[in-house]
C-alpha cells in the first residue's frame, strides 16, 4: 500500500430540506470532488436525507483548538448587556 | 528545577487533566476529536470503533452470497439495500475512527493481517436462503441491542455515527423476521429450513454479545467511558427475553432444552453456552475465517488498479485546469 496514492479525505455537509442550513454529517475518501459528491450521495443520503450536498477536502478546513477556548470564547461571557433581559422596562410594556 | 521535579510536575498535570476528563464524562459531556484525552481512551476507542467498522464490512460477505439467488425481486432489492447499508455503516464508522488519528489504510491493514478482529458471527457459513432470515432476525437483533446504548456513548463522532446506524438497522431485523415468518408458514420443507437456520444461528448469536461478565476484561473501564451501558450478560438476557416470544409466535423452537420461563426473575433461564467454540472462532478456527479474509483481501487487491486509475485521472484533470488558468 503506497501512501501517496491514497484518496484524500473529504468532509460532507447535507441540507436536509430547503430552508435549513447544510450540516456536517461525516467524511469519506474520494479521488476528486466529483467522486466525493457521488459517494456522499450513496453513503449519507440513501433515505432522502438531503436535497443538496457540499463536499470540501478536509485539509482546507481550519479549526480552532479547544485548548484556546478560554481566550476565544470567555470574552463573550461577561457581556450580559448583549442580551435583552439586561434592560429594565416597565411592566406595562408587555412585549418588546 | 531538577529533571525529577519537572517529571513530577508533568505527571501531576496529566493526572489532573485526566481527573478533569473523567469528570466531564461523568457529567455526560461529549468528547470531541481535538479535545485532550488520555492515551488509553484514544486507543480503546480506536480498537472498538475500528472493529465495529470491520464487522460491518465483513458482515456483507455472508449475505452477499445470496443476493443473486434471492427467491423473488422483493427479497432481492431488500437484501441488496441491507448489504448496501452495511457498507455505509462501515464507512460512517471508519470515518469516525479516523478522527482519532489513525488512517483508513492502517485500519485496513490491521484487518487484512488479522491484527484487528471483527465479530466472530460472520465466520459461520450461510447454507440456505433461510439463513438470510435468521441473520436479519437474530444477528441484527443482537447487534441492535448492543448498539442502541452506544448512541449515548461519550465520544461524539462515535455516538453520531451510531445514531445513523441504529435508525437504519431496524429495517434489517424486520426484513429477516419476515423471511422467517414466510418460511415458517410455508411447506413442511420450508418450515424445516427455517428451523434448521434457527438451530445453527441461535447459539452463535448469544455468543455475539460477548464473553460472560466474569470473563470480560474491558467491561469496567468501558462502563466508565459509556462505551458500554449494560454488561454482556444483561444484554444477552435482554436478547433472549425479546426473541423467545418471537420464535413462539411463528411456531419455531429455540434449540435449547434448558430454556424455560423463570417466574421469579421475570426472565428466561437458558442452557450452557459452548464458550470453547466461541474462543476457537475468535482465534481464527471457525468454519469460514479463512474464506472471509481471502474474499476481503482479494477484493481489496483486485481493486488497487481502480483506485490508482482514479487518482491518476484526478491529477490529470487538475493539471489541465491549472494550465487553462495560466
Amino acid at each position: 500500500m503506497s501512501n501517496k496514492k491514497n484518496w484524500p479525505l473529504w468532509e460532507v455537509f447535507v441540507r436536509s430540506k430547503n430552508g435549513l442550513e447544510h450540516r456536517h454529517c461525516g467524511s469519506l475518501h474520494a479521488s476528486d470532488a466529483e467522486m466525493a459528491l457521488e459517494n456522499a450521495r450513496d453513503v449519507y443520503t440513501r433515505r432522502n436525507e438531503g436535497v443538496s450536498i457540499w463536499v470540501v477536502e478536509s485539509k482546507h478546513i481550519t479549526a480552532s483548538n479547544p485548548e484556546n477556548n478560554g481566550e476565544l470564547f470567555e470574552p463573550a461571557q461577561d457581556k450580559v448587556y448583549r442580551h435583552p433581559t439586561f434592560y429594565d422596562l416597565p411592566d406595562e410594556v408587555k412585549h418588546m | 528545577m531538577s529533571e525529577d521535579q519537572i517529571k513530577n510536575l508533568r505527571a501531576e498535570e496529566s493526572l489532573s487533566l485526566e481527573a478533569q476528563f473523567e469528570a466531564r464524562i461523568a457529567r455526560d459531556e461529549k468528547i470531541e476529536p481535538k479535545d485532550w484525552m488520555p492515551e488509553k481512551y484514544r486507543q480503546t476507542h480506536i480498537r472498538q470503533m475500528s472493529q465495529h467498522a470491520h464487522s460491518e464490512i465483513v458482515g456483507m460477505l455472508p449475505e452477499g452470497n445470496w443476493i443473486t439467488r434471492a427467491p423473488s425481486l422483493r427479497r432481492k432489492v431488500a437484501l441488496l439495500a441491507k448489504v448496501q447499508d452495511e457498507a455505509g455503516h462501515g464507512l460512517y464508522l471508519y470515518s469516525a475512527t479516523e478522527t482519532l488519528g489513525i488512517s483508513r489504510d492502517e485500519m485496513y491493514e490491521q484487518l487484512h493481517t488479522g491484527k484487528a478482529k471483527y465479530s466472530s458471527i460472520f465466520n459461520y457459513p450461510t447454507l440456505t436462503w433461510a439463513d438470510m432470515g435468521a441473520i436479519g432476525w437474530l444477528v441484527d437483533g443482537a447487534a441492535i441491542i448492543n448498539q442502541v446504548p452506544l448512541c449515548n456513548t461519550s465520544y461524539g463522532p462515535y455516538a453520531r455515527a451510531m445514531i445513523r446506524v441504529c435508525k437504519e438497522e431496524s429495517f434489517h431485523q424486520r426484513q429477516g423476521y419476515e423471511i422467517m415468518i414466510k418460511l415458517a408458514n410455508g411447506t413442511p420443507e420450508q418450515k424445516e429450513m427455517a428451523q434448521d437456520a434457527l438451530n445453527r444461528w441461535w447459539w452463535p448469536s448469544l455468543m455475539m454479545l460477548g464473553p460472560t461478565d466474569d470473563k470480560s476484561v474491558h467491561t469496567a473501564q468501558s462502563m466508565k467511558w459509556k462505551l458500554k451501558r449494560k454488561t454482556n450478560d444483561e444484554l444477552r438476557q435482554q436478547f433472549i427475553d425479546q426473541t423467545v416470544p418471537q420464535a413462539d409466535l411463528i411456531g419455531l423452537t429455540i434449540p435449547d432444552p434448558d430454556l424455560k420461563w423463570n417466574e421469579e426473575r421475570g426472565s428466561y433461564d437458558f442452557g450452557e453456552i459452548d464458550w470453547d467454540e466461541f474462543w476457537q472462532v475468535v482465534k481464527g478456527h471457525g468454519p469460514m475465517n479463512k474464506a472471509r479474509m481471502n474474499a476481503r483481501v482479494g477484493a481489496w487487491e483486485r481493486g488497487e488498479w481502480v483506485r490508482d486509475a482514479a487518482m491518476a485521472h484526478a491529477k490529470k484533470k487538475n493539471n489541465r485546469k491549472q494550465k487553462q488558468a495560466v
Side-chain angles (χ1 to χ4, degrees), chain A residues 14-17 25 39-51 53, chain B residues 56 77-89 92 140 161 163-175:
Chain A
V14 172
R15 184 204 295 287
S16 56
K17 61 178 188 184
C25 64
N39 288 359
R41 198 274 313 254
D42 289 343
V43 177
Y44 292 106
T45 65
R46 285 194 303 283
R47 288 179 177 78
N48 301 315
E49 290 96 334
V51 295
I53 303 174
Chain B
E56 297 282 356
V77 290
L79 186 59
L80 256 176
K82 179 179 192 283
V83 171
Q84 195 191 13
D85 272 353
E86 275 146 14
H89 297 173
Y92 307 158
D140 287 84
I163 290 171
R164 300 181 66 87
V165 169
C166 286
K167 261 193 208 158
E168 298 178 353
E169 200 100 19
S170 75
F171 123 66
H172 297 182
Q173 195 188 11
R174 291 173 72 128
Q175 70 90 35

Side-chain angles (χ1 to χ4, degrees), chain A residues 52-64:
Chain A
S52 165
I53 303 174
W54 289 348
V55 291
V56 56
E57 222 183 305
S58 309
K59 67 176 184 198
H60 295 310
I61 291 183
T62 309
S64 67

Side-chain angles (χ1 to χ4, degrees), chain A residues 5-6 29 32 46-47, chain B residues 85 98 105 168 308 317:
Chain A
K5 281 182 190 162
N6 284 349
H29 289 271
D32 60 18
R46 285 194 303 283
R47 288 179 177 78
Chain B
D85 272 353
E98 279 173 87
D105 259 22
E168 298 178 353
D308 290 349
K317 232 169 43 175

Side-chain angles (χ1 to χ4, degrees), chain A residues 17-86:
Chain A
K17 61 178 188 184
N18 276 9
L20 295 178
E21 68 279 65
H22 286 78
R23 273 180 73 169
H24 183 244
C25 64
S27 55
L28 49 78
H29 289 271
S31 60
D32 60 18
E34 205 181 323
M35 187 197 280
L37 268 183
E38 281 165 8
N39 288 359
R41 198 274 313 254
D42 289 343
V43 177
Y44 292 106
T45 65
R46 285 194 303 283
R47 288 179 177 78
N48 301 315
E49 290 96 334
V51 295
S52 165
I53 303 174
W54 289 348
V55 291
V56 56
E57 222 183 305
S58 309
K59 67 176 184 198
H60 295 310
I61 291 183
T62 309
S64 67
N65 186 339
E67 277 169 34
N68 303 332
N69 275 7
E71 61 210 73
L72 268 178
F73 303 115
E74 268 166 28
Q77 275 174 14
D78 58 1
K79 296 184 177 54
V80 283
Y81 47 87
R82 283 178 176 160
H83 298 277
T85 46
F86 178 73

Side-chain angles (χ1 to χ4, degrees), chain B residues 38-53:
Chain B
E39 198 44 35
K40 195 165 169 229
Y41 181 90
R42 184 185 301 278
Q43 291 312 328
T44 301
H45 277 76
I46 288 177
R47 195 189 66 236
Q48 174 163 335
M49 291 166 68
S50 65
Q51 292 186 4
H52 197 160

